[in-house]
Amino acid sequence: DADAMIRAHRALVRRMGSVELDLTAARFAGPVVVIELDIIRGSLDLRLPDGASASIDDVTVYAGSARERRKEPPAEGNPHVVLTGKVVLGSVNIRGPRRPLPWRR
């Protein structure tokens, strides 16, 4: 639900399969949100609202990657999402909101 309140600490456990987590329309309980990852054979595609920052320094990735895909992500935004935990045989991608295609406006 896009209007869901995102608590300050969340756990995301996944075995075999990817997760698309779109937080662009979410309401956050506080300025910092910690998402603990435990993903095996899957990936996380995380979408954040404009102005939000993210930290992937505390994510351990085995046989995969963790990347910030936004062109100019803020260093300290609001909210600030801290990703921790591990991803095995998968990846973590941080993206911004979906933009409408120019020909579909």
Side-chain angles (χ1 to χ4, degrees):
D1 183 34
D3 292 327
M5 177 72 73
I6 303 301
R7 292 185 298 206
H9 189 126
R10 301 292 302 184
L12 181 58
V13 178
R14 184 72 174 189
R15 302 292 182 263
M16 290 186 64
S18 295
V19 175
E20 291 184 31
L21 186 57
D22 188 341
L23 301 180
T24 56
R27 294 180 298 135
F28 295 86
V32 176
V33 174
V34 177
I35 301 176
E36 187 176 343
L37 304 177
D38 184 5
I39 300 174
I40 298 175
R41 290 183 301 235
S43 297
L44 170 64
D45 190 21
L46 177 63
R47 291 201 176 267
L48 296 176
D50 287 330
S53 58
S55 170
I56 54 177
D57 296 337
D58 294 331
V59 176
T60 303
V61 181
Y62 302 98
S65 62
R67 293 190 179 130
E68 171 67 68
R69 299 286 187 170
R70 298 177 291 174
K71 290 182 182 174
E72 295 181 21
E76 294 182 22
N78 190 6
H80 181 70
V81 177
V82 178
L83 298 174
T84 66
K86 70 177 180 199
V87 177
V88 180
L89 296 172
S91 61
V92 175
N93 293 300
I94 310 296
R95 301 178 191 277
R98 293 185 191 274
R99 304 285 183 218
L101 298 174
W103 59 87
R104 288 192 169 174
R105 289 185 183 173

XYZ file of all heavy atoms in Angstrom:
802
model
N 0.847 -1.181 0.000
C 0.000 0.000 0.000
C 0.890 1.240 0.000
O 1.746 1.390 0.859
C -0.910 -0.040 1.223
C -1.885 1.122 1.265
O -2.332 1.573 0.213
O -2.199 1.548 2.388
N 0.673 2.128 -0.929
C 1.524 3.306 -1.094
C 1.426 4.250 0.101
O 2.350 4.998 0.384
C 1.161 4.043 -2.377
N 0.305 4.245 0.818
C 0.135 5.142 1.953
C 0.581 4.505 3.264
O 0.326 5.038 4.322
C -1.333 5.565 2.068
C -1.725 6.454 0.902
O -0.861 7.205 0.430
O -2.883 6.390 0.469
N 1.217 3.365 3.206
C 1.632 2.668 4.419
C 2.701 3.460 5.161
O 3.538 4.107 4.550
C 2.167 1.283 4.076
N 2.652 3.386 6.470
C 3.666 4.029 7.306
C 4.860 3.084 7.393
O 4.708 1.922 7.745
C 3.112 4.295 8.699
C 4.113 4.902 9.653
S 4.542 6.621 9.331
C 3.058 7.426 9.860
N 6.034 3.556 7.027
C 7.249 2.757 7.088
C 7.890 2.991 8.455
O 8.283 4.107 8.778
C 8.227 3.140 5.953
C 7.564 2.988 4.590
C 9.489 2.301 6.032
C 7.077 1.600 4.277
N 7.966 1.925 9.246
C 8.553 2.021 10.586
C 10.060 2.224 10.498
O 10.669 2.010 9.464
C 8.235 0.768 11.384
C 6.760 0.661 11.704
C 6.517 -0.504 12.582
N 6.917 -1.730 11.896
C 6.418 -2.912 12.149
N 5.506 -3.056 13.053
N 6.821 -3.971 11.491
N 10.653 2.577 11.618
C 12.077 2.914 11.657
C 12.980 1.725 11.385
O 14.107 1.889 10.954
C 12.427 3.533 13.001
N 12.505 0.494 11.612
C 13.331 -0.695 11.364
C 12.461 -1.765 10.717
O 11.434 -2.127 11.247
C 13.910 -1.222 12.682
C 14.933 -2.297 12.459
N 16.191 -2.221 12.979
C 14.902 -3.456 11.766
C 16.878 -3.295 12.621
N 16.117 -4.057 11.891
N 12.907 -2.255 9.575
C 12.186 -3.294 8.846
C 13.162 -4.413 8.484
O 14.333 -4.161 8.266
C 11.578 -2.770 7.541
C 10.613 -1.637 7.667
C 9.339 -2.017 8.341
N 8.702 -3.094 7.621
C 7.533 -3.594 7.923
N 6.876 -3.134 8.955
N 7.005 -4.568 7.236
N 12.649 -5.634 8.409
C 13.461 -6.770 7.960
C 12.877 -7.280 6.649
O 11.662 -7.370 6.493
C 13.444 -7.877 9.002
N 13.737 -7.594 5.713
C 13.325 -8.119 4.415
C 14.051 -9.438 4.201
O 15.269 -9.450 3.999
C 13.662 -7.129 3.306
C 13.288 -7.503 1.895
C 11.783 -7.755 1.771
C 13.688 -6.395 0.943
N 13.308 -10.545 4.292
C 13.865 -11.886 4.121
C 13.282 -12.469 2.848
O 12.069 -12.484 2.656
C 13.529 -12.788 5.329
C 14.083 -14.192 5.119
C 14.063 -12.178 6.611
N 14.155 -12.970 1.985
C 13.693 -13.523 0.708
C 14.604 -14.661 0.298
O 15.820 -14.560 0.380
C 13.707 -12.429 -0.352
C 13.167 -12.823 -1.678
C 11.680 -12.969 -1.588
N 11.161 -13.222 -2.921
C 9.902 -13.236 -3.204
N 9.019 -13.005 -2.282
N 9.502 -13.487 -4.410
N 14.016 -15.752 -0.151
C 14.754 -16.889 -0.698
C 14.258 -17.123 -2.124
O 13.059 -17.304 -2.332
C 14.507 -18.166 0.110
C 14.878 -18.061 1.579
C 16.395 -17.940 1.723
N 16.815 -17.878 3.101
C 17.078 -16.755 3.758
N 16.941 -15.588 3.173
N 17.478 -16.784 5.005
N 15.167 -17.100 -3.072
C 14.848 -17.331 -4.482
C 13.770 -16.384 -4.999
O 12.589 -16.624 -4.846
C 14.403 -18.780 -4.716
C 15.531 -19.756 -4.561
S 15.063 -21.431 -4.992
C 14.708 -21.224 -6.721
N 14.213 -15.310 -5.575
C 13.295 -14.356 -6.184
C 13.672 -12.933 -5.822
O 14.284 -12.686 -4.796
N 13.276 -12.052 -6.666
C 13.627 -10.649 -6.479
C 12.479 -9.883 -5.843
O 11.328 -10.305 -5.886
C 13.990 -10.026 -7.826
O 15.156 -10.658 -8.316
N 12.837 -8.738 -5.267
C 11.867 -7.882 -4.597
C 11.967 -6.488 -5.199
O 13.060 -5.945 -5.333
C 12.158 -7.793 -3.086
C 11.218 -6.816 -2.409
C 12.079 -9.155 -2.441
N 10.832 -5.924 -5.571
C 10.755 -4.528 -5.981
C 10.056 -3.782 -4.862
O 8.898 -4.070 -4.563
C 9.984 -4.371 -7.285
C 10.703 -4.932 -8.480
C 9.958 -4.681 -9.776
O 9.258 -3.650 -9.878
O 10.072 -5.520 -10.668
N 10.762 -2.862 -4.223
C 10.219 -2.118 -3.099
C 10.180 -0.643 -3.487
O 11.207 0.015 -3.578
C 11.096 -2.342 -1.863
C 10.634 -1.763 -0.548
C 9.244 -2.275 -0.181
C 11.621 -2.112 0.548
N 8.982 -0.128 -3.725
C 8.789 1.255 -4.156
C 8.313 2.072 -2.964
O 7.170 1.941 -2.522
C 7.776 1.307 -5.288
C 7.667 2.686 -5.915
O 8.075 3.677 -5.275
O 7.161 2.779 -7.045
N 9.193 2.904 -2.436
C 8.870 3.731 -1.285
C 8.648 5.190 -1.664
O 8.638 6.066 -0.806
C 9.998 3.640 -0.246
C 10.300 2.245 0.296
C 11.432 2.306 1.314
C 9.061 1.630 0.910
N 8.420 5.460 -2.939
C 8.309 6.844 -3.399
C 7.089 7.557 -2.837
O 7.106 8.770 -2.685
C 8.291 6.918 -4.936
O 7.230 6.098 -5.431
C 9.611 6.449 -5.517
N 6.032 6.832 -2.504
C 4.822 7.463 -1.961
C 4.587 7.095 -0.503
O 3.523 7.379 0.039
C 3.615 7.061 -2.806
N 5.563 6.479 0.139
C 5.394 6.024 1.521
C 5.545 7.185 2.498
O 6.215 8.174 2.222
C 6.416 4.947 1.841
N 4.924 7.036 3.649
C 5.112 7.957 4.769
C 6.076 7.278 5.739
O 5.907 6.109 6.058
C 3.790 8.250 5.468
C 2.827 9.011 4.574
C 1.502 9.290 5.275
N 0.841 8.028 5.618
C 0.283 7.772 6.794
N 0.309 8.662 7.755
N -0.300 6.613 7.015
N 7.069 7.998 6.195
C 8.102 7.421 7.048
C 7.891 7.840 8.494
O 7.563 8.990 8.768
C 9.485 7.850 6.555
C 9.817 7.304 5.203
C 9.432 7.966 4.048
C 10.501 6.108 5.084
C 9.728 7.447 2.799
C 10.804 5.584 3.835
C 10.412 6.255 2.696
N 8.089 6.915 9.425
C 7.878 7.169 10.846
C 8.935 8.113 11.419
O 8.704 8.745 12.437
C 7.875 5.852 11.619
N 10.077 8.196 10.789
C 11.145 9.058 11.283
C 12.099 9.410 10.165
O 11.950 8.953 9.040
N 13.121 10.210 10.476
C 14.055 10.648 9.442
C 15.029 9.563 8.983
O 15.610 9.674 7.910
C 14.800 11.809 10.091
C 14.710 11.532 11.553
C 13.391 10.836 11.764
N 15.209 8.507 9.795
C 16.116 7.413 9.435
C 15.336 6.102 9.492
O 14.651 5.821 10.465
C 17.333 7.344 10.386
C 18.214 6.146 10.046
C 18.139 8.632 10.329
N 15.462 5.321 8.433
C 14.822 4.008 8.356
C 15.908 2.979 8.079
O 16.723 3.164 7.176
C 13.760 3.963 7.233
C 13.204 2.576 7.058
C 12.647 4.952 7.521
N 15.936 1.901 8.869
C 16.900 0.824 8.680
C 16.155 -0.367 8.096
O 15.139 -0.796 8.638
C 17.567 0.423 10.018
C 18.511 -0.752 9.815
C 18.305 1.610 10.618
N 16.653 -0.882 6.982
C 16.094 -2.082 6.361
C 17.166 -3.163 6.408
O 18.222 -3.014 5.795
C 15.637 -1.830 4.914
C 14.577 -0.732 4.881
C 15.107 -3.117 4.291
C 14.136 -0.340 3.483
N 16.879 -4.211 7.166
C 17.817 -5.323 7.309
C 17.515 -6.368 6.249
O 16.398 -6.869 6.164
C 17.691 -5.929 8.702
C 18.727 -6.970 8.982
C 18.633 -7.490 10.404
O 17.997 -6.845 11.250
O 19.206 -8.562 10.648
N 18.507 -6.699 5.434
C 18.337 -7.630 4.320
C 18.870 -9.009 4.661
O 19.924 -9.137 5.279
C 19.073 -7.113 3.082
C 18.707 -5.718 2.592
C 19.589 -5.342 1.411
C 17.239 -5.641 2.229
N 18.138 -10.016 4.240
C 18.584 -11.412 4.292
C 18.030 -12.057 3.023
O 16.966 -12.671 3.041
C 18.064 -12.100 5.548
C 18.590 -13.525 5.689
O 19.433 -13.933 4.861
O 18.148 -14.227 6.610
N 18.740 -11.855 1.916
C 18.264 -12.289 0.593
C 19.238 -13.306 0.034
O 20.450 -13.052 -0.013
C 18.139 -11.097 -0.374
C 17.144 -10.063 0.189
C 17.706 -11.562 -1.755
C 17.066 -8.790 -0.619
N 18.720 -14.444 -0.389
C 19.534 -15.477 -1.024
C 18.920 -15.800 -2.379
O 17.733 -16.082 -2.481
C 19.613 -16.742 -0.143
C 20.285 -16.402 1.194
C 20.372 -17.856 -0.857
C 20.313 -17.533 2.188
N 19.748 -15.760 -3.411
C 19.341 -16.016 -4.801
C 18.201 -15.095 -5.222
O 17.172 -15.535 -5.728
C 18.963 -17.478 -5.006
C 20.158 -18.385 -4.934
C 19.779 -19.804 -5.201
N 18.782 -20.243 -4.234
C 18.898 -21.301 -3.451
N 19.955 -22.043 -3.541
N 17.969 -21.612 -2.598
N 18.418 -13.809 -5.001
C 17.438 -12.807 -5.392
C 18.045 -11.424 -5.293
O 19.152 -11.250 -4.799
N 17.304 -10.442 -5.762
C 17.784 -9.068 -5.785
C 16.751 -8.136 -5.179
O 15.576 -8.478 -5.074
C 18.074 -8.634 -7.229
O 19.101 -9.428 -7.769
N 17.208 -6.950 -4.811
C 16.334 -5.899 -4.318
C 16.461 -4.705 -5.236
O 17.562 -4.225 -5.496
C 16.724 -5.482 -2.890
C 16.033 -4.228 -2.357
C 14.522 -4.443 -2.239
C 16.635 -3.805 -1.036
N 15.328 -4.240 -5.748
C 15.261 -3.017 -6.531
C 14.474 -2.029 -5.684
O 13.262 -2.167 -5.530
C 14.577 -3.269 -7.872
C 14.689 -2.093 -8.816
O 15.587 -1.255 -8.625
O 13.876 -2.008 -9.757
N 15.163 -1.066 -5.074
C 14.567 -0.128 -4.135
C 14.398 1.230 -4.798
O 15.366 1.813 -5.270
C 15.456 -0.010 -2.889
C 15.023 0.980 -1.824
C 13.674 0.589 -1.227
C 16.078 1.072 -0.741
N 13.167 1.740 -4.806
C 12.884 3.079 -5.345
C 12.601 4.023 -4.188
O 11.771 3.740 -3.341
C 11.702 3.040 -6.296
C 12.039 2.308 -7.573
C 11.099 2.693 -8.700
N 11.527 2.047 -9.917
C 12.331 2.586 -10.804
N 12.790 3.799 -10.632
N 12.669 1.926 -11.896
N 13.320 5.153 -4.184
C 13.182 6.141 -3.128
C 12.639 7.445 -3.691
O 12.854 7.760 -4.862
C 14.539 6.396 -2.472
C 15.168 5.208 -1.751
C 16.546 5.580 -1.229
C 14.273 4.748 -0.624
N 11.959 8.234 -2.844
C 11.447 9.523 -3.315
C 12.586 10.514 -3.554
O 13.695 10.350 -3.047
C 10.542 9.986 -2.170
C 11.012 9.250 -0.973
C 11.598 7.956 -1.464
N 12.292 11.548 -4.327
C 13.264 12.628 -4.520
C 13.631 13.200 -3.165
O 12.782 13.365 -2.289
C 12.674 13.730 -5.406
C 12.580 13.319 -6.862
O 13.415 12.511 -7.316
O 11.659 13.796 -7.555
N 14.894 13.486 -2.957
C 15.355 14.061 -1.703
C 15.775 13.040 -0.664
O 16.371 13.396 0.341
N 15.461 11.772 -0.884
C 15.841 10.719 0.062
C 17.275 10.285 -0.211
O 17.733 10.286 -1.346
C 14.904 9.528 -0.059
N 17.963 9.912 0.850
C 19.318 9.389 0.692
C 19.342 7.939 1.148
O 18.415 7.467 1.804
C 20.317 10.224 1.501
O 19.963 10.232 2.872
N 20.392 7.235 0.768
C 20.503 5.820 1.126
C 21.955 5.475 1.395
O 22.868 6.062 0.813
C 19.961 4.941 0.000
N 22.132 4.504 2.281
C 23.462 4.002 2.593
C 23.477 2.500 2.364
O 22.645 1.778 2.913
C 23.810 4.305 4.049
O 24.992 3.630 4.413
N 24.432 2.033 1.548
C 24.574 0.599 1.288
C 25.909 0.082 1.845
O 26.295 -1.041 1.582
C 24.459 0.275 -0.216
C 25.437 1.094 -1.041
C 23.035 0.456 -0.695
C 25.443 0.781 -2.522
N 26.574 0.895 2.657
C 27.884 0.530 3.200
C 27.840 -0.694 4.107
O 28.828 -1.403 4.239
C 28.494 1.703 3.966
C 28.780 2.891 3.067
O 28.921 2.698 1.849
O 28.849 4.019 3.587
N 26.711 -0.938 4.758
C 26.602 -2.054 5.702
C 25.969 -3.298 5.098
O 25.562 -4.199 5.824
C 25.799 -1.619 6.935
C 26.529 -0.548 7.737
O 27.771 -0.538 7.714
O 25.844 0.271 8.378
N 25.865 -3.348 3.759
C 25.340 -4.539 3.077
C 26.513 -5.374 2.602
O 27.411 -4.869 1.923
C 24.450 -4.160 1.873
C 23.988 -5.395 1.125
C 23.252 -3.347 2.326
N 26.518 -6.644 2.964
C 27.522 -7.579 2.479
C 26.909 -8.356 1.328
O 25.842 -8.954 1.488
C 27.955 -8.548 3.599
O 28.447 -7.773 4.698
C 29.034 -9.496 3.115
N 27.581 -8.318 0.170
C 27.064 -8.989 -1.019
C 28.063 -10.056 -1.439
O 29.244 -9.775 -1.627
C 26.839 -7.989 -2.172
C 26.288 -8.702 -3.394
C 25.909 -6.872 -1.741
N 27.569 -11.285 -1.567
C 28.374 -12.404 -2.039
C 27.910 -12.755 -3.446
O 26.743 -13.064 -3.655
C 28.195 -13.624 -1.127
C 28.555 -13.368 0.315
C 27.583 -13.071 1.254
C 29.884 -13.411 0.732
C 27.914 -12.825 2.575
C 30.221 -13.170 2.055
C 29.220 -12.879 2.972
O 29.553 -12.637 4.278
N 28.810 -12.718 -4.411
C 28.508 -13.054 -5.811
C 27.381 -12.182 -6.341
O 26.364 -12.664 -6.819
C 28.173 -14.529 -5.964
N 27.571 -10.879 -6.251
C 26.590 -9.922 -6.755
C 27.125 -8.517 -6.567
O 28.326 -8.304 -6.448
N 26.226 -7.528 -6.496
C 26.660 -6.143 -6.361
C 25.599 -5.317 -5.630
O 24.438 -5.686 -5.574
C 26.921 -5.528 -7.736
O 25.722 -5.509 -8.488
N 26.031 -4.199 -5.089
C 25.140 -3.207 -4.487
C 25.494 -1.871 -5.117
O 26.657 -1.448 -5.052
C 25.311 -3.166 -2.980
N 24.515 -1.232 -5.745
C 24.797 -0.010 -6.506
C 23.739 1.053 -6.291
O 22.552 0.770 -6.223
C 24.849 -0.319 -8.000
C 26.002 -1.175 -8.392
C 26.111 -1.232 -9.898
N 27.259 -2.053 -10.243
C 27.224 -3.039 -11.111
N 26.110 -3.325 -11.736
N 28.304 -3.735 -11.366
N 24.215 2.271 -6.262
C 23.355 3.451 -6.273
C 23.200 3.827 -7.734
O 24.177 4.152 -8.394
C 24.032 4.574 -5.480
C 23.371 5.909 -5.589
C 21.996 5.976 -4.955
O 21.909 5.886 -3.721
O 21.017 6.122 -5.709
N 21.993 3.776 -8.274
C 21.763 3.998 -9.703
C 21.327 5.431 -10.028
O 21.257 5.795 -11.195
C 20.694 3.034 -10.221
C 21.053 1.582 -10.083
C 22.069 1.207 -11.093
N 22.308 -0.234 -11.071
C 23.009 -0.856 -11.970
N 23.543 -0.197 -12.961
N 23.209 -2.143 -11.877
N 21.028 6.223 -9.007
C 20.599 7.602 -9.280
C 21.806 8.431 -9.694
O 22.911 8.217 -9.203
C 19.937 8.207 -8.044
C 18.675 7.448 -7.645
C 18.058 7.990 -6.390
N 18.924 7.700 -5.245
C 18.707 8.156 -4.023
N 17.669 8.922 -3.781
N 19.517 7.849 -3.034
N 21.598 9.402 -10.578
C 22.708 10.195 -11.098
C 23.331 11.084 -10.045
O 24.538 11.190 -9.951
C 22.242 11.035 -12.289
C 21.954 10.201 -13.504
C 21.535 11.047 -14.667
C 21.213 10.135 -15.843
N 20.671 10.853 -16.968
N 22.523 11.766 -9.247
C 23.054 12.667 -8.221
C 22.290 12.456 -6.920
O 21.492 13.302 -6.520
C 22.945 14.114 -8.689
C 23.811 14.415 -9.885
C 23.715 15.872 -10.314
O 23.322 16.723 -9.502
O 24.036 16.143 -11.475
N 22.555 11.349 -6.230
C 21.832 11.106 -4.977
C 22.301 12.057 -3.879
O 23.478 12.403 -3.817
C 22.202 9.662 -4.634
C 23.517 9.451 -5.280
C 23.507 10.294 -6.536
N 21.382 12.516 -3.033
C 21.799 13.393 -1.938
C 22.631 12.630 -0.914
O 22.386 11.451 -0.656
C 20.473 13.864 -1.325
C 19.471 12.845 -1.748
C 19.949 12.269 -3.044
N 23.620 13.289 -0.339
C 24.473 12.650 0.671
C 23.704 12.465 1.974
O 23.812 11.445 2.624
C 25.721 13.481 0.899
N 22.942 13.472 2.353
C 22.140 13.405 3.578
C 20.755 13.929 3.260
O 20.527 15.128 3.255
C 22.780 14.229 4.689
C 24.102 13.672 5.154
C 24.686 14.494 6.286
O 23.943 15.205 6.961
O 25.900 14.407 6.462
N 19.849 13.018 2.960
C 18.496 13.434 2.618
C 17.506 13.044 3.697
O 17.855 12.498 4.729
N 16.273 13.359 3.426
C 15.197 13.004 4.339
C 14.089 12.345 3.545
O 13.549 12.968 2.650
C 14.677 14.240 5.052
C 13.741 13.899 6.185
O 13.554 12.742 6.528
N 13.146 14.924 6.745
N 13.798 11.101 3.812
C 14.385 10.235 4.823
C 15.746 9.695 4.379
O 16.093 9.769 3.205
C 13.381 9.086 4.945
C 12.834 8.966 3.567
C 12.742 10.395 3.061
N 16.457 9.135 5.346
C 17.719 8.458 5.056
C 17.485 6.971 5.308
O 17.115 6.579 6.407
C 18.852 8.978 5.943
C 20.159 8.320 5.662
N 20.867 8.536 4.496
C 20.881 7.414 6.371
C 21.972 7.808 4.513
N 21.998 7.117 5.640
N 17.671 6.158 4.282
C 17.433 4.721 4.371
C 18.779 4.017 4.490
O 19.653 4.191 3.631
C 16.661 4.211 3.131
C 16.474 2.703 3.198
C 15.320 4.920 3.025
N 18.952 3.263 5.559
C 20.180 2.522 5.805
C 19.898 1.047 5.544
O 19.032 0.459 6.190
C 20.669 2.708 7.259
C 21.917 1.880 7.509
C 20.920 4.176 7.556
N 20.598 0.475 4.579
C 20.465 -0.947 4.283
C 21.586 -1.697 4.984
O 22.748 -1.293 4.911
C 20.524 -1.201 2.782
C 19.416 -0.538 1.966
C 19.662 -0.727 0.482
C 18.061 -1.076 2.349
N 21.234 -2.782 5.672
C 22.210 -3.619 6.353
C 21.914 -5.070 6.000
O 20.909 -5.375 5.372
C 22.140 -3.461 7.885
O 20.891 -3.975 8.341
C 22.292 -2.026 8.310
N 22.789 -5.979 6.413
C 22.538 -7.403 6.215
C 23.324 -7.977 5.059
O 24.398 -7.486 4.713
N 22.751 -9.035 4.443
C 23.496 -9.738 3.395
C 22.600 -10.088 2.212
O 21.389 -10.281 2.350
C 24.125 -11.004 3.943
C 23.111 -12.075 4.275
C 23.780 -13.345 4.749
C 22.654 -14.344 5.039
N 23.015 -15.415 5.878
N 23.254 -10.158 1.065
C 22.625 -10.611 -0.180
C 23.578 -11.632 -0.786
O 24.761 -11.347 -0.977
C 22.381 -9.445 -1.159
C 21.806 -9.953 -2.464
C 21.470 -8.404 -0.530
N 23.070 -12.835 -1.063
C 23.870 -13.911 -1.633
C 23.331 -14.231 -3.018
O 22.141 -14.496 -3.174
C 23.827 -15.167 -0.731
C 24.653 -16.292 -1.335
C 24.311 -14.843 0.668
N 24.207 -14.226 -4.019
C 23.822 -14.505 -5.410
C 22.716 -13.570 -5.866
O 21.672 -13.998 -6.363
C 23.378 -15.964 -5.576
C 24.454 -17.016 -5.311
C 23.841 -18.399 -5.321
C 25.570 -16.914 -6.321
N 22.935 -12.274 -5.690
C 21.946 -11.288 -6.095
C 22.536 -9.899 -6.050
O 23.739 -9.714 -5.896
N 21.678 -8.902 -6.159
C 22.151 -7.525 -6.185
C 21.171 -6.613 -5.466
O 20.024 -6.975 -5.210
C 22.335 -7.057 -7.632
O 21.098 -7.109 -8.313
N 21.656 -5.416 -5.166
C 20.850 -4.352 -4.584
C 21.012 -3.137 -5.487
O 22.134 -2.722 -5.777
C 21.315 -4.008 -3.155
C 20.546 -2.816 -2.615
C 21.175 -5.206 -2.236
N 19.899 -2.576 -5.937
C 19.919 -1.390 -6.779
C 19.034 -0.325 -6.155
O 17.865 -0.574 -5.865
C 19.407 -1.704 -8.190
C 20.349 -2.622 -8.928
O 21.496 -2.281 -9.129
N 19.868 -3.779 -9.323
N 19.602 0.869 -5.964
C 18.855 2.004 -5.438
C 18.515 2.901 -6.618
O 19.397 3.300 -7.379
C 19.689 2.803 -4.410
C 20.294 1.903 -3.352
C 18.857 3.931 -3.824
C 19.317 1.207 -2.475
N 17.237 3.217 -6.748
C 16.769 4.046 -7.863
C 15.867 5.145 -7.328
O 15.369 5.065 -6.210
C 16.005 3.211 -8.875
C 16.816 2.067 -9.464
C 15.954 1.243 -10.429
N 16.611 0.019 -10.811
C 17.524 -0.103 -11.766
N 17.892 0.947 -12.437
N 18.062 -1.272 -12.048
N 15.626 6.138 -8.157
C 14.691 7.201 -7.821
C 13.301 6.851 -8.318
O 13.046 5.730 -8.786
N 12.377 7.814 -8.247
C 11.016 7.559 -8.718
C 10.994 7.279 -10.221
O 11.873 7.729 -10.956
C 10.271 8.855 -8.422
C 11.167 9.682 -7.579
C 12.550 9.147 -7.715
N 9.999 6.533 -10.633
C 9.825 6.296 -12.073
C 9.466 7.612 -12.743
O 8.661 8.376 -12.233
C 8.717 5.284 -12.330
C 9.061 3.906 -11.855
C 7.951 2.925 -12.256
N 8.152 1.660 -11.596
C 8.926 0.694 -12.056
N 9.576 0.860 -13.175
N 9.057 -0.431 -11.389
N 10.050 7.865 -13.861
C 9.762 9.078 -14.632
C 8.900 8.697 -15.821
O 9.143 7.670 -16.461
C 11.055 9.732 -15.128
C 12.036 10.053 -14.031
C 11.583 11.258 -13.255
N 12.586 11.605 -12.245
C 12.287 12.040 -11.048
N 11.044 12.198 -10.690
N 13.229 12.342 -10.195
N 7.907 9.519 -16.138
C 7.085 9.207 -17.310
C 7.924 9.290 -18.587
O 8.826 10.135 -18.689
C 5.994 10.272 -17.299
C 6.498 11.357 -16.416
C 7.500 10.733 -15.483
N 7.643 8.404 -19.490
C 8.361 8.435 -20.771
C 7.927 9.679 -21.545
O 6.758 10.051 -21.528
C 8.045 7.166 -21.556
C 8.490 5.860 -20.867
C 8.005 4.662 -21.643
C 9.987 5.835 -20.716
N 8.862 10.334 -22.235
C 8.540 11.600 -22.893
C 7.386 11.495 -23.904
O 6.631 12.422 -24.065
C 9.825 12.011 -23.602
C 10.878 11.078 -23.141
C 10.231 9.944 -22.418
N 7.265 10.391 -24.558
C 6.223 10.243 -25.563
C 4.883 9.802 -24.966
O 3.904 9.688 -25.664
C 6.652 9.279 -26.669
C 6.989 7.910 -26.160
C 6.120 6.880 -25.964
C 8.260 7.413 -25.785
N 6.758 5.791 -25.478
C 8.095 6.074 -25.368
C 9.538 7.964 -25.757
C 9.156 5.296 -24.922
C 10.578 7.161 -25.323
C 10.380 5.856 -24.916
N 4.821 9.584 -23.666
C 3.579 9.156 -23.022
C 2.940 10.251 -22.177
O 2.034 9.986 -21.416
C 3.843 7.944 -22.130
C 4.103 6.715 -22.919
C 4.062 5.551 -21.999
N 4.053 4.322 -22.758
C 4.121 3.139 -22.245
N 4.179 2.996 -20.951
N 4.119 2.075 -22.999
N 3.405 11.444 -22.268
C 2.850 12.526 -21.453
C 1.586 12.966 -22.004
O 0.652 13.074 -22.206
C 3.795 13.707 -21.413
C 5.013 13.384 -20.595
C 5.870 14.576 -20.457
N 7.055 14.174 -19.715
C 8.072 14.930 -19.520
N 8.083 16.148 -19.976
N 9.115 14.518 -18.850
